[in-house]
Amino acid sequence: MAETIKIKYFTDKIDKLAYIGGKSDWIDLRAAKDVDMKAGEFKMIPLGVAMKLPRGYEAHLVPRSSTFKNFGIIQTNHMGVIDETYCGGNDQWHFPAYALRDTHISVNDRICQFRIMEHQPEVVFDEVLELESQDRGGLGSTGIQ
């Protein structure tokens, strides 16, 4: 069953959001205005939308894979989390951008993407002296030490 998200657009200069089933479950977001940035500059780029997410969900906002290549910007918080309480009529979503080179972003350029996820369930931590699993060594799954 599809979840319904109420959306408010702040401009008619960006394409409407669309879920493209079968290709990806990430949804592209676009710059809502023209933005010029100099190397080393930070700006909050408006995305032209506010949403009321379903209860119990949050949005994960990340750059598109081509964002750095195309615009030379990175997302300063690396991944944004927008919970369902950020849902007022003026709660426009933004992309916190840091420019590594001089760049121009045009209105309607796709600069980031989001998906909605259910909130993490409540967890309880059980402190133990030993874990039964074998020590793999290294850092995570890389095995690099």
Side-chain angles (χ1 to χ4, degrees):
M1 180 169 125
E3 293 289 347
T4 298
I5 297 175
K6 292 183 179 182
I7 186 167
K8 173 186 175 182
Y9 289 94
F10 289 84
T11 179
D12 60 359
K13 295 180 179 173
I14 60 172
D15 292 350
K16 304 288 187 194
L17 299 190
Y19 181 80
I20 304 169
K23 182 176 180 191
S24 172
D25 58 358
W26 290 85
I27 301 166
D28 290 338
L29 292 166
R30 299 165 181 274
K33 69 176 190 176
D34 290 333
V35 175
D36 289 303
M37 297 179 72
K38 298 285 185 196
E41 189 174 14
F42 168 81
K43 286 191 178 177
M44 293 291 284
I45 301 173
L47 299 172
V49 295
M51 297 184 218
K52 182 169 179 51
L53 300 176
R55 183 177 180 88
Y57 283 83
E58 63 194 22
H60 293 183
L61 180 79
V62 298
R64 298 181 75 240
S65 60
S66 61
T67 297
F68 182 76
K69 175 181 68 78
N70 291 341
F71 304 108
I73 60 173
I74 58 173
Q75 183 174 343
T76 58
N77 58 353
H78 303 289
M79 182 184 93
V81 178
I82 303 168
D83 69 30
E84 78 269 24
T85 65
Y86 189 69
C87 61
N90 291 317
D91 289 340
Q92 181 173 193
W93 292 16
H94 288 78
F95 182 82
Y98 181 80
L100 278 83
R101 66 174 188 253
D102 292 357
T103 191
H104 173 79
I105 300 160
S106 297
V107 67
N108 206 43
D109 279 344
R110 296 180 299 163
I111 58 171
C112 59
Q113 59 191 338
F114 81 99
R115 69 184 309 187
I116 63 169
M117 304 288 295
E118 287 187 83
H119 290 296
Q120 176 172 290
E122 182 178 333
V123 297
V124 176
F125 293 97
D126 181 16
E127 186 174 344
V128 297
L129 294 176
E130 295 289 331
L131 297 175
E132 292 90 27
S133 59
Q134 182 178 354
D135 183 6
R136 295 178 0 178
L139 302 173
S141 61
T142 65
I144 298 172
Q145 296 192 27

